[in-house]
Amino acid sequence: MELFRSCRALARAHPYRADGLLAVVFYVVTLVALPHHQTLRDWSNLNPRVVLAVAGVPVFVPLIWRRRYPVAVLGVVVAATIGYMVIGPVRGPILLGSAVAVYTVCSTVERRLALAVGWLSAIALGITSWDRSPDAWNKSVNAVAFAWVALAVAVGEAVRSRRAFVAAIEERARRAEHTREEEARRRVAEERMRIARELHDIVGHHIALINVQAGVASHLLDSQPELARAALAHVREAGRSALSELNATVSVLRQGDETDTPVEPAPGLHQLSSLLESFDRAGLRVDLLDEGEPRQVTAAVDLTAYRIVQESLTNVRKHAGTSAATLRLAYRRDVLSIEVEDDGPGSSEPAGGSGYGLIGMRERAASVGGSFRAGPGPDGGFRVRVELPLAMAAQLSRVNVARTSMVKPSVVNGSA
């Protein structure tokens, strides 16, 4: 088996040399196999072996170029073989040249053309052999020429089909590998976006509170040191909370594959009172309005709702220019509706704003199959309205996520 594979690899590496050797071998076999008592039907004064040696040249020499010009080589070989059959034996190794040429055409050329040319050659050789045969017309031996070439047609078609099948399998494997790579890149991109949103929400919220409380402490340090110390205590608490959440996030990123149940930092609406208290200490009073009966939501929706409320209120505190905001949570039959509204003058392009806050909230809502809207309120100020499904859909629309992530909101009030 190894020897066969080695010879096959060598033939593929040097096709012309391999086909030349094949032609020489068949040519010699044809000369040796000619019986000594064989005579020619016409021109009986000629030496049959000399005639065969001359006739064998156009039969076997073109096989050297059979891979490059398969149809042309088949035409020359079949014509030369039929020409020899007219004056010489109608059967024997001389048919090997036609068989190889037919096999080459049927295994390499387009299927319909190959079958048409192959069967035409088989019929031409079979009829010529039957017509010029010295045996009776109804003898089965007259079908030898047709059988040889027909067998070459069948073998060539089988080889061509197998090559097409193997090529299709390899193409599917290549596409599957490409799909796996694309899926891996897509998941990496999604994970990077998720981590970016988490870090933005964690750092943005706590840094905003620290900045406010530090400003209060600096302003009251000389005149009201007790209030300044209270503000610094709030700074310390906000910093501790930020470090805690950052450590939790980093610990998730450092987990190996051996961990089956990762502990992901996942605050939810059960921490909403603590969040509102932190804003109250920072000077933003938030009126919470509940509608409907609170119900259990999925972890993804719970985290999304918390982060959207956190980011919206952080934007109000940083950019809206007001000290009051309204938060409405409405539990309806199928969705959880969140609405954050302020009455401040705001600014369409806050200084230093990147727009990532609104983009991140839009992506978060879309990631769980929800909807997001943000813009000026009917009575001034700015309003963020989100609807999240209480039961996540089985398949999420990644197309909408990618589309919305590429569009920067026209109004960036409240963007971090």
Side-chain angles (χ1 to χ4, degrees):
M1 182 61 69
E2 292 297 331
L3 179 60
F4 173 76
R5 291 178 180 176
S6 300
C7 294
R8 187 176 181 182
L10 184 63
R12 289 180 176 179
H14 306 282
Y16 289 107
R17 295 181 182 180
D19 291 339
L21 179 62
L22 180 68
V24 170
V25 170
F26 285 171
Y27 182 72
V28 173
V29 169
T30 302
L31 291 177
V32 173
L34 181 68
H36 292 285
H37 62 276
Q38 181 70 50
T39 59
L40 301 178
R41 288 187 295 273
D42 301 316
W43 305 299
S44 57
N45 59 331
L46 297 177
N47 188 330
R49 196 170 298 278
V50 174
V51 174
L52 179 59
V54 174
V57 172
V59 172
F60 295 109
V61 170
L63 296 180
I64 299 175
W65 297 276
R66 67 185 181 94
R67 301 174 194 261
R68 187 169 185 179
Y69 309 106
V71 177
V73 167
L74 175 61
V76 172
V77 171
V78 170
T81 303
I82 291 176
Y84 178 73
M85 286 181 174
V86 173
I87 60 174
V90 295
R91 294 180 290 273
I94 192 69
L95 293 172
L96 288 174
S98 298
V100 172
V102 167
Y103 163 80
T104 303
V105 169
C106 291
S107 63
T108 57
V109 180
E110 190 270 331
R111 187 171 185 267
R112 288 182 294 181
L113 175 61
L115 291 178
V117 174
W119 287 115
L120 181 62
S121 302
I123 292 173
L125 290 170
I127 291 177
T128 303
S129 175
W130 171 77
D131 180 68
R132 304 296 294 179
S133 175
D135 300 305
W137 67 271
N138 58 350
K139 292 292 185 179
S140 60
V141 71
N142 292 328
V144 169
F146 178 83
W148 274 39
V149 183
L151 179 62
V153 172
V155 173
E157 173 64 15
V159 171
R160 188 200 61 79
S161 299
R162 181 181 179 278
R163 288 175 179 172
F165 175 75
V166 172
I169 293 296
E170 293 177 348
E171 177 65 16
R172 283 198 293 269
R174 186 190 65 80
R175 290 183 178 180
E177 182 66 24
H178 180 71
T179 302
R180 284 193 294 269
E181 293 176 356
E182 289 292 330
E183 179 67 12
R185 284 194 290 267
R186 184 191 61 78
R187 290 187 178 183
V188 169
E190 288 184 351
E191 184 64 13
R192 290 174 62 184
M193 292 174 62
R194 187 191 69 81
I195 294 172
R197 287 195 298 265
E198 287 293 325
L199 293 178
H200 176 274
D201 292 343
I202 293 171
V203 175
H205 167 63
H206 290 292
I207 293 301
L209 297 182
I210 290 173
N211 181 60
V212 170
Q213 296 293 348
V216 171
S218 175
H219 181 70
L220 301 177
L221 184 60
D222 295 329
S223 59
Q224 302 182 48
E226 291 299 327
L227 294 179
R229 278 194 292 271
L232 291 175
H234 293 323
V235 169
R236 183 169 59 252
E237 181 181 351
R240 187 185 303 112
S241 299
L243 288 176
S244 176
E245 293 195 38
L246 284 175
N247 287 334
T249 302
V250 172
S251 67
V252 172
L253 298 180
R254 288 178 174 175
Q255 286 174 0
D257 295 336
E258 70 279 359
T259 304
D260 295 332
T261 56
V263 181
E264 183 177 355
L269 293 178
H270 62 281
Q271 300 181 5
L272 191 58
S273 59
S274 300
L275 179 65
L276 299 184
E277 288 177 4
S278 67
F279 280 107
D280 185 67
R281 291 193 298 268
L284 177 64
R285 180 175 54 83
V286 181
D287 295 328
L288 175 60
L289 303 178
D290 289 322
E291 298 179 14
E293 184 67 23
R295 279 174 286 175
Q296 187 71 24
V297 298
T298 62
V301 172
D302 197 24
L303 174 61
T304 298
Y306 179 86
R307 291 303 188 196
I308 288 177
V309 171
Q310 181 186 54
E311 179 63 21
S312 299
L313 294 177
T314 299
N315 291 340
V316 172
R317 183 64 188 86
K318 291 171 61 177
H319 306 300
T322 182
S323 61
T326 302
L327 169 62
R328 295 183 182 88
L329 295 179
Y331 289 88
R332 300 192 176 94
R333 185 180 65 177
D334 298 324
V335 299
L336 168 62
S337 177
I338 302 173
E339 185 176 304
V340 178
E341 186 175 6
D342 64 75
D343 56 358
S347 173
S348 61
E349 290 290 347
S354 61
Y356 293 147
L358 291 180
I359 293 175
M361 287 189 286
R362 190 184 303 274
E363 290 174 349
R364 282 189 181 277
S367 69
V368 295
S371 62
F372 173 87
R373 285 177 292 174
D379 300 324
F382 196 80
R383 174 189 291 174
V384 172
R385 179 175 295 175
V386 180
E387 290 187 349
L388 305 177
L390 292 178
M392 289 181 61
Q395 293 183 349
L396 303 179
S397 175
R398 295 190 178 95
V399 175
N400 291 337
V401 175
R403 185 179 300 169
T404 55
S405 65
M406 296 298 295
V407 179
K408 188 173 182 178
S410 59
V411 179
V412 197
N413 184 20
S415 61

